Amino acid sequence: MGPTVFELGEKKALAQALKVFKRVETTLVGSGDDAAVIALKDPRFVVTTDTLVENHDFTQTFSTGFDLGYKAVASNIADVVAMGARPIALTVAMVITKTTKQSWLDHFAQGLQKAIDELCPTAEIVGGDLASGTEIVVAVAAHGELLAEPVLRSGARAGDLVAVCGTLGQAAAGLALLQHPDATLAASYPELVDVQLRPNPPVELALSVAGSATAMMDISDSLALDASRLADASDVTLEIQSSQLFGYQAVLELAAQSITSRGQGEANELDWVLYGGEDHSFLTTFPPETQVPRGFKVIGKVIERGNASVLLDGSPLEAKGWDSVSS
């Protein structure tokens, strides 16, 4: 199985794992010094951070080190992109256990770099920290360079169109498949499992509307919950049409039927679409006169603030989804 990180020692272990990282031109001083130095064209920059805790946000039962590294990058850069900024630098702080293998750390670093290569090749891992504890914890801080004015979740106005780019419900379906006692289910729907383990936010598509969207946010906790957050921030109501969600449901129908047929509880594809998190797609609003770009699906409109934050076919939609503290 190979040595543990602690058997090798921090210096040697990190030197081995970090060999996979690539440099980008905006990094003036990268990993290895007391802190990184990043070149910016604009004095403003976007910064966000997120934490993944073992047995709460992930489990090694089905997430490999590579998966976790990939997901850590994807989930953080999605927040940067939702602000209309291009990711340029990330720092990664980790807590590992005394039994963590060096091979696991190597695969984690490879997952970090693979996600950067595929999702944000303008970015670099510029530093971080390594500590020990009783379970694995990953904390990533991502930094981005604004392409225009920041796109806030408070910018939606009555009359705007509500649109989504990316998947809805697929990560939730993938999680349900992975958690099912019948392991053949997950193997039968690898494309859904992949969205859960290695999210693929449509970065370039979202960045292409940085100058035209009135509001945008990463759909991380669910369409229902994140739509309510955008509506509340903008002091409006989002009116979603269920007919515009049929396409998202259709992709999940067979998986839901397969789970239900196994007799381990009923799966509902609409619930996945509305209340499932971790797709890391983008909820966006556009002025009504805008030609919504190809790749965005219009799912409703913005109306004046009413008694509910979000309506589905005219009825209040519960703001239900993933809660990182209570879930």
Side-chain angles (χ1 to χ4, degrees), residues 37-289:
V37 180
I38 310 300
L40 296 172
K41 297 176 183 177
D42 191 311
R44 303 170 302 171
F45 68 95
V46 171
V47 62
T48 187
T49 189
D50 192 32
T51 303
L52 297 171
V53 179
E54 186 176 9
N55 298 321
H56 180 69
D57 299 299
F58 71 93
T59 171
Q60 293 192 69
T61 303
F62 46 72
S63 288
T64 66
F66 184 94
D67 294 332
L68 186 60
Y70 197 105
K71 191 170 191 174
V73 169
S75 60
N76 276 273
I77 66 164
D79 284 331
V80 170
V81 171
M83 298 294 293
R86 185 175 296 282
I88 59 172
L90 299 93
T91 58
V92 183
M94 292 190 68
V95 175
I96 58 173
T97 71
K98 292 187 181 299
T99 60
T100 301
K101 298 293 184 180
Q102 178 64 36
S103 58
W104 188 95
L105 184 62
D106 291 344
H107 291 150
F108 175 78
Q110 291 163 15
L112 291 172
Q113 187 59 52
K114 185 66 171 179
I116 289 174
D117 290 343
E118 294 185 351
L119 302 175
C120 55
T122 55
E124 178 183 342
I125 305 292
V126 298
D129 188 40
L130 187 65
S132 64
T134 58
E135 58 190 0
I136 294 175
V137 179
V138 179
V140 176
H143 305 73
E145 189 168 53
L146 285 165
L147 302 182
E149 290 300 309
V151 187
L152 309 180
R153 61 178 66 175
S154 58
R157 297 292 179 263
D160 285 355
L161 303 173
V162 179
V164 170
C165 67
T167 61
L168 287 178
Q170 293 193 24
L175 181 61
L177 291 163
L178 286 165
Q179 292 177 332
H180 198 278
D182 185 349
T184 64
L185 277 178
S188 299
Y189 299 94
E191 68 285 356
L192 300 179
V193 169
D194 283 350
V195 176
Q196 166 58 220
L197 297 180
R198 295 178 295 279
N200 188 23
V203 170
E204 291 303 321
L205 188 56
L207 288 177
S208 72
V209 301
S212 58
T214 53
M216 183 159 58
M217 66 179 296
D218 165 35
I219 305 176
S220 57
D221 296 330
S222 81
L223 174 63
L225 182 53
D226 290 324
S228 74
R229 290 166 173 162
L230 190 151
D232 291 345
S234 295
D235 195 27
V236 295
T237 292
L238 302 192
E239 189 173 50
I240 297 173
Q241 300 300 319
S242 62
S243 60
Q244 301 306 309
L245 303 177
F246 289 164
Y248 299 107
Q249 293 176 241
V251 176
L252 308 173
E253 186 175 355
L254 286 178
Q257 291 175 356
S258 295
I259 291 176
T260 301
S261 69
R262 297 302 197 277
Q264 297 289 331
E266 185 174 350
N268 184 295
E269 57 268 29
L270 181 58
D271 282 350
W272 287 338
V273 169
L274 292 175
Y275 307 120
E278 298 192 293
D279 281 84
H280 294 292
S281 299
F282 297 97
L283 179 65
T284 313
T285 60
F286 295 96
E289 68 277 6

